[in-house]
Amino acid sequence: MTLPVFGHTNPDTDAITSAIVYASLLSKLGVAARAYRLGDLNNETAFVLQQAGVEVPELLESLPEGTEVALVDHNESGQSLAGLGSLKVTRVVDHHKLGDLTSKDPLYLRFEPVGCTGTILTKLYREHNQPIEVWEAKLMLSAILSDTLHFRSPTTTDTDREIGTYLAQIAGVSDIKAYALEMFAAKSDLGDTPADKLLKLDYKVFPFGGNTYGLGVMETTNPGYALGRKAEILAAMQQEKDAKGLTGVFFSVVDILEETNQTFVLDDAHAEIIKGVFGADTVEQVADLGNRISRKKQVVPAFEKYFG
């Protein structure tokens, strides 16, 4: 039976490319595997797959109970396929904190505190003495550049930098910065994308203090675009909060080049939380969170500390 491999819902470049590359590696190691996606691609990811000449993975909506699966770039049920608890997770490759994953049987786990799952996958190729093909290198390099914001994010490690340089040589990318800027330009070209889709470009739900909060992020080289559509995005945030019964929803506009974070705030109650978590004031429903550009390392831990 072919092993389904997939990243998280509302997938980013790392989630999609890691599923593709890990399925490829497993197949080379004698484990029949196939990559899937759990949502629509963002513009950056579509650009990356086109550059690498790789087809978009099939959308996965459900699997029969007991199906064996492999997870990449996530390990929390709230960010995964619906009904994950009824499936048999056999492998996980991830760079996030340990979530609520449980199992009845032993499984393969590979977690490392690096900036990207693509970094870990490159190490797996090396450890198994598997040559990395050009398209695989292009995908993993792209994921590293995306997740680390071209090595600007505080999640970046020396390992990410070393492996990024190594992959660029294989992929034939002579100017890493220029390629990263092409990726970010594709990500920022959003046109008339509906506001509800803007909110979900990079969106995850987290439990804080016994309640659930949605945290959306738009990483862009053109923050003025999001600010110009603030009213629409705030309306989409309110709609999502009401529809899913969430305690709160926040949306951060991260300027990739200037390394700043402007977060949209729904109301006074949300503003009070932002003040308590970050010490930041909210002006016209926008809070300046300074250089907090990493949700994983700078935003989520601050919420967890505030709510205890």
Side-chain angles (χ1 to χ4, degrees):
M1 183 176 178
T2 301
L3 180 71
V5 183
F6 49 86
H8 52 77
T9 55
N10 303 309
D12 57 8
T13 297
D14 191 25
I16 294 293
T17 60
S18 292
I20 296 170
V21 172
Y22 192 38
S24 177
L25 175 60
L26 288 174
S27 296
K28 293 175 181 180
L29 297 176
V31 179
R34 182 180 179 185
Y36 291 91
R37 60 185 170 91
L38 300 189
D40 295 332
L41 305 188
N42 64 38
N43 289 351
E44 177 191 82
T45 309
F47 169 82
V48 165
L49 295 191
Q50 188 275 329
Q51 289 289 304
V54 175
E55 293 185 0
V56 177
E58 180 182 341
L59 179 67
L60 184 62
E61 297 181 333
S62 65
L63 286 170
E65 183 176 345
T67 300
E68 294 189 356
V69 299
L71 309 183
V72 292
D73 198 32
H74 77 296
N75 68 96
E76 297 191 47
S77 59
Q79 299 172 9
S80 195
L81 185 68
L84 183 67
S86 69
L87 306 178
K88 185 177 181 180
V89 178
T90 61
R91 300 169 183 267
V92 184
V93 181
D94 194 11
H95 67 123
H96 296 91
K97 68 175 185 176
L98 195 61
D100 60 351
L101 184 68
T102 61
S103 68
K104 295 180 180 178
D105 302 301
L107 66 155
Y108 175 84
L109 297 174
R110 183 63 175 262
F111 286 69
E112 291 194 26
V114 292
C116 179
T117 310
T119 298
I120 305 172
L121 290 174
T122 303
K123 295 176 74 172
L124 288 176
Y125 270 79
R126 289 172 166 177
E127 291 165 14
H128 288 285
N129 296 313
Q130 290 293 322
I132 298 175
E133 298 180 43
V134 172
W135 67 268
E136 294 169 327
K138 194 68 170 284
L139 292 184
M140 289 188 283
L141 170 64
S142 300
I144 292 170
L145 294 175
S146 177
D147 260 21
T148 67
L149 299 180
H150 185 213
F151 311 123
R152 297 166 181 261
S153 171
T155 62
T156 308
T157 67
D158 288 341
T159 302
D160 297 303
R161 295 186 181 91
E162 181 270 317
I163 284 181
T165 301
Y166 168 73
L167 291 171
Q169 294 172 346
I170 299 173
V173 176
S174 58
D175 191 331
I176 295 177
K177 180 179 179 180
Y179 178 63
L181 290 175
E182 286 187 80
M183 287 174 49
F184 299 153
K187 176 185 285 189
S188 304
D189 184 13
L190 297 168
D192 57 357
T193 302
D196 60 329
K197 290 191 175 182
L198 294 177
L199 173 63
K200 295 295 186 69
L201 285 172
D202 184 358
Y203 177 86
K204 294 181 179 180
V205 175
F206 297 89
F208 300 135
N211 295 309
T212 51
Y213 291 81
L215 302 182
V217 178
M218 176 193 289
E219 296 171 341
T220 179
T221 59
N222 180 21
Y225 171 84
L227 293 170
R229 299 188 62 183
K230 181 178 71 172
E232 298 173 66
I233 295 172
L234 285 166
M237 292 164 60
Q238 186 65 56
Q239 184 176 15
E240 179 70 12
K241 177 179 179 293
D242 295 341
K244 299 296 174 61
L246 302 173
T247 305
V249 175
F250 297 94
F251 181 78
S252 294
V253 181
V254 171
D255 186 328
I256 298 171
L257 301 181
E258 297 299 326
E259 300 180 34
T260 61
N261 178 338
Q262 297 181 80
T263 292
F264 291 3
V265 180
L266 275 176
D267 51 32
D268 290 343
H270 284 67
E272 184 177 346
I273 292 173
I274 287 291
K275 181 69 172 179
V277 175
F278 302 105
D281 294 321
T282 297
V283 180
E284 296 182 352
Q285 295 186 274
V286 178
D288 183 352
L289 299 192
N291 65 351
R292 296 181 176 93
I293 60 175
S294 170
R295 177 175 56 194
K296 181 176 75 171
K297 192 164 186 177
Q298 296 172 302
V299 175
V300 170
F303 273 103
E304 290 175 333
K305 181 178 180 180
Y306 176 75
F307 286 108

